Amino acid sequence: QVQLIESGGGVVQAGGSLRLSCTLSGRSFSNYAMAWYRQALGQEREFVAGVGFTGRATTLADPVKGRFTISRDNRKNTVYLQMNSLKPEDTAVYYCAAGNSFYTSSTDYPPDYGSWGQGTQVTVSS
């Protein structure tokens, strides 16, 4: 059974940075493509970023392109989301997900991607 534990959320001022981490246990990390989603209060969960099995390929949602970077370290069973130039509209609960597929288009990522972590809150103040 896959278990995902996120960390790194918090409160930051607009323009600041945060790095989220997510560690997978229970299965072989390199067998999964990984992704980050987020859900703002009262809104549906949306795709943010995805990374392929080796880390060479990544996909970003349009609202975060140029500001967010996703990466993974298969030796540490961990995926990261580096968030720079944060905006108040980035405020949400961020979820890590492990899936069987990597997509080159952000619109191909389904809302029920795979196994999910418990989420970590990111709050950006103006």
Side-chain angles (χ1 to χ4, degrees):
Q1 182 177 359
V2 172
Q3 292 185 327
L4 298 167
I5 304 295
E6 300 105 331
S7 62
V11 180
V12 64
Q13 288 189 334
S17 298
L18 282 175
R19 188 176 81 155
L20 306 183
S21 300
C22 171
T23 300
L24 183 149
S25 61
R27 291 289 188 271
S28 178
F29 182 67
S30 60
N31 287 345
Y32 293 93
M34 301 297 295
W36 288 95
Y37 285 67
R38 67 187 181 186
Q39 186 169 19
L41 192 63
Q43 298 186 20
E44 294 183 353
R45 187 159 54 190
E46 64 175 2
F47 168 79
V48 175
V51 61
F53 300 90
T54 65
R56 284 194 293 266
T58 63
T59 301
L60 295 171
D62 286 345
V64 306
K65 283 181 178 177
R67 301 188 298 122
F68 291 11
T69 303
I70 186 172
S71 62
R72 66 188 293 163
D73 187 339
N74 285 359
R75 298 167 301 175
K76 297 182 178 180
N77 296 346
T78 301
V79 61
Y80 304 97
L81 184 68
Q82 178 66 44
M83 305 184 294
N84 299 327
S85 301
L86 282 161
K87 304 175 181 180
E89 51 263 43
D90 294 318
T91 295
V93 177
Y94 283 71
Y95 296 92
C96 171
N100 295 320
S101 300
F102 169 75
Y103 303 95
T104 56
S105 173
S106 61
T107 56
D108 288 336
Y109 275 86
D112 56 346
Y113 180 59
S115 300
W116 297 91
Q118 81 287 353
T120 185
Q121 177 70 45
V122 171
T123 302
V124 184
S125 63
S126 57

